[in-house]
Amino acid sequence: MKITPKIKIYLSILFSLVLDLILIFLIILPLWKGITKSSKELVLARGKSILLESQLKNIGELRAVEKKIEPTIEKIENSFVSLETPVEFISFLENLSQSCQVDLKISPPFFDKTKNEAWPFLRLQLTLAGSFPNISRFLGKLEVAPYLIKIETFNIAKLSEKELSLKELERFSPGDVKANFILKVYGK
């Protein structure tokens, strides 16, 4: 068989085509897949980077908010009395009674487990004796105390002649009063 110029052209075209196909399948196609994979990884990395930047920004904002509300959180924490040892709160009541010039008697605390309450609490029964303005001042200061408390029951009566003759109440005058109330003190 004689190789004619026409056959040479066909053979060179065929050889070029085979060479092009080999080039495409062995070099260009793997490069294309690598580029595609790398671009997908780049897009994912960019997305993660944006997400991390957003999270860092949110963390910074949260820290700023935390610094602003930290004193408030501390006040809230301090408004709950230690239920195991309410000594600090009882000392507060005693100091308050002295500053308001009223006699204070505190009955032992009793705990109550009520499921309707959001926080645990204890109840204290307080008995005050003194002038009406001093007892009013005591209650006013108790109302704005830094503790989470609630007066549940409240009774007030004028001191009787019999009560005034008692040794513990002898320093009071006939116009003075006696107040009994139960104080609900929320704690932790």
Side-chain angles (χ1 to χ4, degrees), residues 8-40:
K8 282 185 182 180
I9 292 175
Y10 285 135
L11 281 176
S12 68
I13 290 174
L14 182 66
F15 181 72
S16 272
L17 247 146
V18 169
L19 193 60
D20 286 345
L21 286 173
I22 291 173
L23 187 69
I24 288 172
F25 283 110
L26 295 179
I27 296 173
I28 295 176
L29 197 58
L31 283 175
W32 182 260
K33 286 181 181 178
I35 290 170
T36 305
K37 183 180 175 185
S38 295
S39 68
K40 284 180 184 178

PDB file of all heavy atoms in Angstrom, residues 8-40:
ATOM      1  N   LYS A   8      -1.591  10.481   4.232  1.00  0.00           N
ATOM      2  CA  LYS A   8      -0.713  11.137   5.196  1.00  0.00           C
ATOM      3  C   LYS A   8      -1.485  12.203   5.978  1.00  0.00           C
ATOM      4  O   LYS A   8      -1.290  12.364   7.182  1.00  0.00           O
ATOM      5  CB  LYS A   8       0.491  11.758   4.478  1.00  0.00           C
ATOM      6  CG  LYS A   8       1.535  10.797   4.090  1.00  0.00           C
ATOM      7  CD  LYS A   8       2.704  11.568   3.504  1.00  0.00           C
ATOM      8  CE  LYS A   8       3.787  10.623   3.035  1.00  0.00           C
ATOM      9  NZ  LYS A   8       4.898  11.315   2.474  1.00  0.00           N
ATOM     10  N   ILE A   9      -2.310  12.918   5.276  1.00  0.00           N
ATOM     11  CA  ILE A   9      -3.103  13.964   5.935  1.00  0.00           C
ATOM     12  C   ILE A   9      -4.058  13.325   6.937  1.00  0.00           C
ATOM     13  O   ILE A   9      -4.188  13.766   8.075  1.00  0.00           O
ATOM     14  CB  ILE A   9      -3.860  14.808   4.885  1.00  0.00           C
ATOM     15  CG1 ILE A   9      -2.863  15.624   4.056  1.00  0.00           C
ATOM     16  CG2 ILE A   9      -4.872  15.710   5.552  1.00  0.00           C
ATOM     17  CD1 ILE A   9      -3.472  16.382   2.933  1.00  0.00           C
ATOM     18  N   TYR A  10      -4.741  12.232   6.478  1.00  0.00           N
ATOM     19  CA  TYR A  10      -5.677  11.541   7.386  1.00  0.00           C
ATOM     20  C   TYR A  10      -4.959  10.951   8.594  1.00  0.00           C
ATOM     21  O   TYR A  10      -5.455  11.007   9.726  1.00  0.00           O
ATOM     22  CB  TYR A  10      -6.438  10.447   6.642  1.00  0.00           C
ATOM     23  CG  TYR A  10      -7.513  10.972   5.728  1.00  0.00           C
ATOM     24  CD1 TYR A  10      -7.664  10.467   4.430  1.00  0.00           C
ATOM     25  CD2 TYR A  10      -8.392  11.955   6.148  1.00  0.00           C
ATOM     26  CE1 TYR A  10      -8.638  10.932   3.576  1.00  0.00           C
ATOM     27  CE2 TYR A  10      -9.369  12.426   5.291  1.00  0.00           C
ATOM     28  CZ  TYR A  10      -9.499  11.918   4.023  1.00  0.00           C
ATOM     29  OH  TYR A  10     -10.476  12.388   3.187  1.00  0.00           O
ATOM     30  N   LEU A  11      -3.792  10.356   8.316  1.00  0.00           N
ATOM     31  CA  LEU A  11      -3.018   9.772   9.412  1.00  0.00           C
ATOM     32  C   LEU A  11      -2.529  10.843  10.384  1.00  0.00           C
ATOM     33  O   LEU A  11      -2.550  10.656  11.594  1.00  0.00           O
ATOM     34  CB  LEU A  11      -1.827   8.983   8.867  1.00  0.00           C
ATOM     35  CG  LEU A  11      -2.140   7.595   8.343  1.00  0.00           C
ATOM     36  CD1 LEU A  11      -0.885   6.981   7.736  1.00  0.00           C
ATOM     37  CD2 LEU A  11      -2.680   6.708   9.434  1.00  0.00           C
ATOM     38  N   SER A  12      -2.093  11.947   9.860  1.00  0.00           N
ATOM     39  CA  SER A  12      -1.626  13.016  10.745  1.00  0.00           C
ATOM     40  C   SER A  12      -2.799  13.605  11.545  1.00  0.00           C
ATOM     41  O   SER A  12      -2.663  13.926  12.736  1.00  0.00           O
ATOM     42  CB  SER A  12      -0.875  14.087   9.981  1.00  0.00           C
ATOM     43  OG  SER A  12      -1.705  14.792   9.137  1.00  0.00           O
ATOM     44  N   ILE A  13      -3.988  13.686  10.906  1.00  0.00           N
ATOM     45  CA  ILE A  13      -5.173  14.164  11.632  1.00  0.00           C
ATOM     46  C   ILE A  13      -5.532  13.149  12.722  1.00  0.00           C
ATOM     47  O   ILE A  13      -5.830  13.516  13.862  1.00  0.00           O
ATOM     48  CB  ILE A  13      -6.356  14.406  10.669  1.00  0.00           C
ATOM     49  CG1 ILE A  13      -6.071  15.612   9.780  1.00  0.00           C
ATOM     50  CG2 ILE A  13      -7.654  14.592  11.427  1.00  0.00           C
ATOM     51  CD1 ILE A  13      -7.096  15.848   8.711  1.00  0.00           C
ATOM     52  N   LEU A  14      -5.524  11.858  12.362  1.00  0.00           N
ATOM     53  CA  LEU A  14      -5.841  10.808  13.320  1.00  0.00           C
ATOM     54  C   LEU A  14      -4.820  10.804  14.461  1.00  0.00           C
ATOM     55  O   LEU A  14      -5.187  10.697  15.642  1.00  0.00           O
ATOM     56  CB  LEU A  14      -5.863   9.446  12.619  1.00  0.00           C
ATOM     57  CG  LEU A  14      -6.238   8.267  13.496  1.00  0.00           C
ATOM     58  CD1 LEU A  14      -7.669   8.359  13.973  1.00  0.00           C
ATOM     59  CD2 LEU A  14      -6.029   6.977  12.728  1.00  0.00           C
ATOM     60  N   PHE A  15      -3.536  10.924  14.110  1.00  0.00           N
ATOM     61  CA  PHE A  15      -2.491  10.959  15.126  1.00  0.00           C
ATOM     62  C   PHE A  15      -2.676  12.177  16.042  1.00  0.00           C
ATOM     63  O   PHE A  15      -2.520  12.092  17.256  1.00  0.00           O
ATOM     64  CB  PHE A  15      -1.107  10.962  14.441  1.00  0.00           C
ATOM     65  CG  PHE A  15       0.024  10.973  15.400  1.00  0.00           C
ATOM     66  CD1 PHE A  15       0.349   9.841  16.151  1.00  0.00           C
ATOM     67  CD2 PHE A  15       0.791  12.129  15.574  1.00  0.00           C
ATOM     68  CE1 PHE A  15       1.398   9.856  17.036  1.00  0.00           C
ATOM     69  CE2 PHE A  15       1.826  12.150  16.467  1.00  0.00           C
ATOM     70  CZ  PHE A  15       2.147  11.017  17.212  1.00  0.00           C
ATOM     71  N   SER A  16      -3.009  13.313  15.445  1.00  0.00           N
ATOM     72  CA  SER A  16      -3.256  14.533  16.219  1.00  0.00           C
ATOM     73  C   SER A  16      -4.446  14.352  17.157  1.00  0.00           C
ATOM     74  O   SER A  16      -4.420  14.778  18.320  1.00  0.00           O
ATOM     75  CB  SER A  16      -3.589  15.692  15.301  1.00  0.00           C
ATOM     76  OG  SER A  16      -2.507  16.374  14.852  1.00  0.00           O
ATOM     77  N   LEU A  17      -5.481  13.727  16.624  1.00  0.00           N
ATOM     78  CA  LEU A  17      -6.676  13.489  17.432  1.00  0.00           C
ATOM     79  C   LEU A  17      -6.367  12.570  18.602  1.00  0.00           C
ATOM     80  O   LEU A  17      -6.787  12.837  19.733  1.00  0.00           O
ATOM     81  CB  LEU A  17      -7.762  12.858  16.558  1.00  0.00           C
ATOM     82  CG  LEU A  17      -8.964  13.761  16.346  1.00  0.00           C
ATOM     83  CD1 LEU A  17      -9.541  13.533  14.971  1.00  0.00           C
ATOM     84  CD2 LEU A  17      -9.984  13.523  17.390  1.00  0.00           C
ATOM     85  N   VAL A  18      -5.650  11.483  18.349  1.00  0.00           N
ATOM     86  CA  VAL A  18      -5.285  10.550  19.422  1.00  0.00           C
ATOM     87  C   VAL A  18      -4.396  11.255  20.425  1.00  0.00           C
ATOM     88  O   VAL A  18      -4.578  11.126  21.647  1.00  0.00           O
ATOM     89  CB  VAL A  18      -4.615   9.292  18.832  1.00  0.00           C
ATOM     90  CG1 VAL A  18      -3.990   8.430  19.920  1.00  0.00           C
ATOM     91  CG2 VAL A  18      -5.603   8.483  18.023  1.00  0.00           C
ATOM     92  N   LEU A  19      -3.437  12.013  19.916  1.00  0.00           N
ATOM     93  CA  LEU A  19      -2.549  12.756  20.805  1.00  0.00           C
ATOM     94  C   LEU A  19      -3.340  13.773  21.616  1.00  0.00           C
ATOM     95  O   LEU A  19      -3.096  13.946  22.830  1.00  0.00           O
ATOM     96  CB  LEU A  19      -1.447  13.427  19.973  1.00  0.00           C
ATOM     97  CG  LEU A  19      -0.270  13.983  20.739  1.00  0.00           C
ATOM     98  CD1 LEU A  19       0.442  12.889  21.513  1.00  0.00           C
ATOM     99  CD2 LEU A  19       0.684  14.656  19.792  1.00  0.00           C
ATOM    100  N   ASP A  20      -4.298  14.453  20.979  1.00  0.00           N
ATOM    101  CA  ASP A  20      -5.147  15.413  21.695  1.00  0.00           C
ATOM    102  C   ASP A  20      -5.986  14.717  22.774  1.00  0.00           C
ATOM    103  O   ASP A  20      -6.127  15.221  23.889  1.00  0.00           O
ATOM    104  CB  ASP A  20      -6.067  16.139  20.715  1.00  0.00           C
ATOM    105  CG  ASP A  20      -5.343  17.176  19.876  1.00  0.00           C
ATOM    106  OD1 ASP A  20      -4.194  17.536  20.237  1.00  0.00           O
ATOM    107  OD2 ASP A  20      -5.922  17.641  18.876  1.00  0.00           O
ATOM    108  N   LEU A  21      -6.542  13.551  22.424  1.00  0.00           N
ATOM    109  CA  LEU A  21      -7.343  12.810  23.398  1.00  0.00           C
ATOM    110  C   LEU A  21      -6.481  12.354  24.580  1.00  0.00           C
ATOM    111  O   LEU A  21      -6.899  12.435  25.733  1.00  0.00           O
ATOM    112  CB  LEU A  21      -8.023  11.610  22.750  1.00  0.00           C
ATOM    113  CG  LEU A  21      -9.222  11.927  21.847  1.00  0.00           C
ATOM    114  CD1 LEU A  21      -9.704  10.663  21.138  1.00  0.00           C
ATOM    115  CD2 LEU A  21     -10.342  12.537  22.635  1.00  0.00           C
ATOM    116  N   ILE A  22      -5.299  11.871  24.292  1.00  0.00           N
ATOM    117  CA  ILE A  22      -4.387  11.464  25.364  1.00  0.00           C
ATOM    118  C   ILE A  22      -4.033  12.662  26.233  1.00  0.00           C
ATOM    119  O   ILE A  22      -4.041  12.585  27.455  1.00  0.00           O
ATOM    120  CB  ILE A  22      -3.126  10.793  24.774  1.00  0.00           C
ATOM    121  CG1 ILE A  22      -3.489   9.440  24.173  1.00  0.00           C
ATOM    122  CG2 ILE A  22      -2.050  10.634  25.835  1.00  0.00           C
ATOM    123  CD1 ILE A  22      -2.355   8.780  23.412  1.00  0.00           C
ATOM    124  N   LEU A  23      -3.755  13.761  25.589  1.00  0.00           N
ATOM    125  CA  LEU A  23      -3.432  14.995  26.299  1.00  0.00           C
ATOM    126  C   LEU A  23      -4.608  15.422  27.170  1.00  0.00           C
ATOM    127  O   LEU A  23      -4.431  15.803  28.337  1.00  0.00           O
ATOM    128  CB  LEU A  23      -3.060  16.088  25.283  1.00  0.00           C
ATOM    129  CG  LEU A  23      -2.546  17.392  25.849  1.00  0.00           C
ATOM    130  CD1 LEU A  23      -1.164  17.186  26.465  1.00  0.00           C
ATOM    131  CD2 LEU A  23      -2.465  18.441  24.762  1.00  0.00           C
ATOM    132  N   ILE A  24      -5.814  15.348  26.621  1.00  0.00           N
ATOM    133  CA  ILE A  24      -7.011  15.741  27.363  1.00  0.00           C
ATOM    134  C   ILE A  24      -7.217  14.816  28.556  1.00  0.00           C
ATOM    135  O   ILE A  24      -7.425  15.272  29.676  1.00  0.00           O
ATOM    136  CB  ILE A  24      -8.257  15.757  26.440  1.00  0.00           C
ATOM    137  CG1 ILE A  24      -8.180  16.952  25.494  1.00  0.00           C
ATOM    138  CG2 ILE A  24      -9.531  15.820  27.262  1.00  0.00           C
ATOM    139  CD1 ILE A  24      -9.255  16.960  24.426  1.00  0.00           C
ATOM    140  N   PHE A  25      -7.176  13.485  28.333  1.00  0.00           N
ATOM    141  CA  PHE A  25      -7.474  12.540  29.407  1.00  0.00           C
ATOM    142  C   PHE A  25      -6.350  12.394  30.427  1.00  0.00           C
ATOM    143  O   PHE A  25      -6.603  12.115  31.590  1.00  0.00           O
ATOM    144  CB  PHE A  25      -7.843  11.166  28.826  1.00  0.00           C
ATOM    145  CG  PHE A  25      -9.244  11.124  28.281  1.00  0.00           C
ATOM    146  CD1 PHE A  25      -9.475  11.043  26.911  1.00  0.00           C
ATOM    147  CD2 PHE A  25     -10.347  11.179  29.123  1.00  0.00           C
ATOM    148  CE1 PHE A  25     -10.760  11.010  26.400  1.00  0.00           C
ATOM    149  CE2 PHE A  25     -11.629  11.146  28.618  1.00  0.00           C
ATOM    150  CZ  PHE A  25     -11.850  11.057  27.258  1.00  0.00           C
ATOM    151  N   LEU A  26      -5.124  12.543  30.023  1.00  0.00           N
ATOM    152  CA  LEU A  26      -4.025  12.343  30.959  1.00  0.00           C
ATOM    153  C   LEU A  26      -3.537  13.615  31.636  1.00  0.00           C
ATOM    154  O   LEU A  26      -3.011  13.545  32.739  1.00  0.00           O
ATOM    155  CB  LEU A  26      -2.854  11.655  30.246  1.00  0.00           C
ATOM    156  CG  LEU A  26      -3.108  10.229  29.756  1.00  0.00           C
ATOM    157  CD1 LEU A  26      -1.865   9.702  29.044  1.00  0.00           C
ATOM    158  CD2 LEU A  26      -3.476   9.314  30.909  1.00  0.00           C
ATOM    159  N   ILE A  27      -3.729  14.744  31.015  1.00  0.00           N
ATOM    160  CA  ILE A  27      -3.181  15.970  31.586  1.00  0.00           C
ATOM    161  C   ILE A  27      -4.279  16.990  31.908  1.00  0.00           C
ATOM    162  O   ILE A  27      -4.413  17.429  33.049  1.00  0.00           O
ATOM    163  CB  ILE A  27      -2.125  16.588  30.642  1.00  0.00           C
ATOM    164  CG1 ILE A  27      -0.943  15.634  30.492  1.00  0.00           C
ATOM    165  CG2 ILE A  27      -1.644  17.928  31.179  1.00  0.00           C
ATOM    166  CD1 ILE A  27       0.075  16.043  29.484  1.00  0.00           C
ATOM    167  N   ILE A  28      -5.071  17.365  30.929  1.00  0.00           N
ATOM    168  CA  ILE A  28      -6.027  18.454  31.111  1.00  0.00           C
ATOM    169  C   ILE A  28      -7.175  18.051  32.055  1.00  0.00           C
ATOM    170  O   ILE A  28      -7.529  18.808  32.952  1.00  0.00           O
ATOM    171  CB  ILE A  28      -6.564  18.943  29.759  1.00  0.00           C
ATOM    172  CG1 ILE A  28      -5.407  19.553  28.956  1.00  0.00           C
ATOM    173  CG2 ILE A  28      -7.676  19.944  29.943  1.00  0.00           C
ATOM    174  CD1 ILE A  28      -5.763  19.998  27.574  1.00  0.00           C
ATOM    175  N   LEU A  29      -7.750  16.843  31.865  1.00  0.00           N
ATOM    176  CA  LEU A  29      -8.876  16.414  32.693  1.00  0.00           C
ATOM    177  C   LEU A  29      -8.480  16.306  34.170  1.00  0.00           C
ATOM    178  O   LEU A  29      -9.211  16.823  35.028  1.00  0.00           O
ATOM    179  CB  LEU A  29      -9.445  15.095  32.159  1.00  0.00           C
ATOM    180  CG  LEU A  29     -10.831  14.723  32.647  1.00  0.00           C
ATOM    181  CD1 LEU A  29     -11.851  15.801  32.303  1.00  0.00           C
ATOM    182  CD2 LEU A  29     -11.272  13.404  32.060  1.00  0.00           C
ATOM    183  N   PRO A  30      -7.341  15.680  34.540  1.00  0.00           N
ATOM    184  CA  PRO A  30      -6.948  15.670  35.957  1.00  0.00           C
ATOM    185  C   PRO A  30      -6.695  17.077  36.506  1.00  0.00           C
ATOM    186  O   PRO A  30      -7.041  17.372  37.647  1.00  0.00           O
ATOM    187  CB  PRO A  30      -5.674  14.833  35.992  1.00  0.00           C
ATOM    188  CG  PRO A  30      -5.743  13.965  34.789  1.00  0.00           C
ATOM    189  CD  PRO A  30      -6.482  14.778  33.766  1.00  0.00           C
ATOM    190  N   LEU A  31      -6.099  17.933  35.680  1.00  0.00           N
ATOM    191  CA  LEU A  31      -5.898  19.317  36.105  1.00  0.00           C
ATOM    192  C   LEU A  31      -7.240  20.008  36.340  1.00  0.00           C
ATOM    193  O   LEU A  31      -7.422  20.743  37.316  1.00  0.00           O
ATOM    194  CB  LEU A  31      -5.075  20.093  35.073  1.00  0.00           C
ATOM    195  CG  LEU A  31      -3.576  19.831  35.063  1.00  0.00           C
ATOM    196  CD1 LEU A  31      -2.918  20.576  33.903  1.00  0.00           C
ATOM    197  CD2 LEU A  31      -2.953  20.265  36.364  1.00  0.00           C
ATOM    198  N   TRP A  32      -8.202  19.781  35.440  1.00  0.00           N
ATOM    199  CA  TRP A  32      -9.530  20.390  35.565  1.00  0.00           C
ATOM    200  C   TRP A  32     -10.221  19.917  36.854  1.00  0.00           C
ATOM    201  O   TRP A  32     -10.805  20.718  37.579  1.00  0.00           O
ATOM    202  CB  TRP A  32     -10.373  20.045  34.330  1.00  0.00           C
ATOM    203  CG  TRP A  32     -11.722  20.675  34.385  1.00  0.00           C
ATOM    204  CD1 TRP A  32     -12.878  20.100  34.749  1.00  0.00           C
ATOM    205  CD2 TRP A  32     -12.036  22.024  34.087  1.00  0.00           C
ATOM    206  NE1 TRP A  32     -13.899  20.987  34.700  1.00  0.00           N
ATOM    207  CE2 TRP A  32     -13.402  22.205  34.285  1.00  0.00           C
ATOM    208  CE3 TRP A  32     -11.283  23.125  33.658  1.00  0.00           C
ATOM    209  CZ2 TRP A  32     -14.060  23.405  34.084  1.00  0.00           C
ATOM    210  CZ3 TRP A  32     -11.939  24.318  33.454  1.00  0.00           C
ATOM    211  CH2 TRP A  32     -13.303  24.458  33.671  1.00  0.00           C
ATOM    212  N   LYS A  33     -10.151  18.591  37.123  1.00  0.00           N
ATOM    213  CA  LYS A  33     -10.738  18.064  38.348  1.00  0.00           C
ATOM    214  C   LYS A  33     -10.058  18.654  39.582  1.00  0.00           C
ATOM    215  O   LYS A  33     -10.715  18.981  40.565  1.00  0.00           O
ATOM    216  CB  LYS A  33     -10.636  16.535  38.367  1.00  0.00           C
ATOM    217  CG  LYS A  33     -11.601  15.859  37.431  1.00  0.00           C
ATOM    218  CD  LYS A  33     -11.471  14.354  37.510  1.00  0.00           C
ATOM    219  CE  LYS A  33     -12.427  13.682  36.533  1.00  0.00           C
ATOM    220  NZ  LYS A  33     -12.281  12.212  36.568  1.00  0.00           N
ATOM    221  N   GLY A  34      -8.748  18.787  39.547  1.00  0.00           N
ATOM    222  CA  GLY A  34      -8.005  19.388  40.665  1.00  0.00           C
ATOM    223  C   GLY A  34      -8.405  20.828  40.887  1.00  0.00           C
ATOM    224  O   GLY A  34      -8.580  21.270  42.026  1.00  0.00           O
ATOM    225  N   ILE A  35      -8.549  21.569  39.784  1.00  0.00           N
ATOM    226  CA  ILE A  35      -8.952  22.974  39.881  1.00  0.00           C
ATOM    227  C   ILE A  35     -10.368  23.074  40.452  1.00  0.00           C
ATOM    228  O   ILE A  35     -10.648  23.897  41.329  1.00  0.00           O
ATOM    229  CB  ILE A  35      -8.845  23.676  38.510  1.00  0.00           C
ATOM    230  CG1 ILE A  35      -7.379  23.834  38.110  1.00  0.00           C
ATOM    231  CG2 ILE A  35      -9.544  25.023  38.527  1.00  0.00           C
ATOM    232  CD1 ILE A  35      -7.164  24.303  36.684  1.00  0.00           C
ATOM    233  N   THR A  36     -11.280  22.206  39.977  1.00  0.00           N
ATOM    234  CA  THR A  36     -12.656  22.212  40.472  1.00  0.00           C
ATOM    235  C   THR A  36     -12.686  21.890  41.963  1.00  0.00           C
ATOM    236  O   THR A  36     -13.375  22.565  42.738  1.00  0.00           O
ATOM    237  CB  THR A  36     -13.517  21.189  39.691  1.00  0.00           C
ATOM    238  OG1 THR A  36     -13.415  21.459  38.298  1.00  0.00           O
ATOM    239  CG2 THR A  36     -14.954  21.245  40.108  1.00  0.00           C
ATOM    240  N   LYS A  37     -11.934  20.855  42.354  1.00  0.00           N
ATOM    241  CA  LYS A  37     -11.886  20.470  43.760  1.00  0.00           C
ATOM    242  C   LYS A  37     -11.302  21.604  44.609  1.00  0.00           C
ATOM    243  O   LYS A  37     -11.826  21.932  45.677  1.00  0.00           O
ATOM    244  CB  LYS A  37     -11.051  19.195  43.917  1.00  0.00           C
ATOM    245  CG  LYS A  37     -10.993  18.665  45.321  1.00  0.00           C
ATOM    246  CD  LYS A  37     -10.145  17.410  45.391  1.00  0.00           C
ATOM    247  CE  LYS A  37      -9.997  16.950  46.836  1.00  0.00           C
ATOM    248  NZ  LYS A  37      -9.103  15.820  46.944  1.00  0.00           N
ATOM    249  N   SER A  38     -10.227  22.198  44.126  1.00  0.00           N
ATOM    250  CA  SER A  38      -9.593  23.297  44.856  1.00  0.00           C
ATOM    251  C   SER A  38     -10.528  24.502  44.979  1.00  0.00           C
ATOM    252  O   SER A  38     -10.574  25.153  46.024  1.00  0.00           O
ATOM    253  CB  SER A  38      -8.297  23.722  44.182  1.00  0.00           C
ATOM    254  OG  SER A  38      -7.351  22.684  44.240  1.00  0.00           O
ATOM    255  N   SER A  39     -11.282  24.786  43.910  1.00  0.00           N
ATOM    256  CA  SER A  39     -12.198  25.934  43.974  1.00  0.00           C
ATOM    257  C   SER A  39     -13.339  25.664  44.958  1.00  0.00           C
ATOM    258  O   SER A  39     -13.761  26.563  45.683  1.00  0.00           O
ATOM    259  CB  SER A  39     -12.732  26.273  42.584  1.00  0.00           C
ATOM    260  OG  SER A  39     -13.576  25.260  42.101  1.00  0.00           O
ATOM    261  N   LYS A  40     -13.827  24.393  45.015  1.00  0.00           N
ATOM    262  CA  LYS A  40     -14.862  24.056  45.987  1.00  0.00           C
ATOM    263  C   LYS A  40     -14.317  24.199  47.406  1.00  0.00           C
ATOM    264  O   LYS A  40     -14.992  24.734  48.298  1.00  0.00           O
ATOM    265  CB  LYS A  40     -15.370  22.635  45.757  1.00  0.00           C
ATOM    266  CG  LYS A  40     -16.288  22.499  44.574  1.00  0.00           C
ATOM    267  CD  LYS A  40     -16.756  21.060  44.398  1.00  0.00           C
ATOM    268  CE  LYS A  40     -17.612  20.911  43.155  1.00  0.00           C
ATOM    269  NZ  LYS A  40     -18.024  19.510  42.940  1.00  0.00           N
TER     270      LYS A  40
END
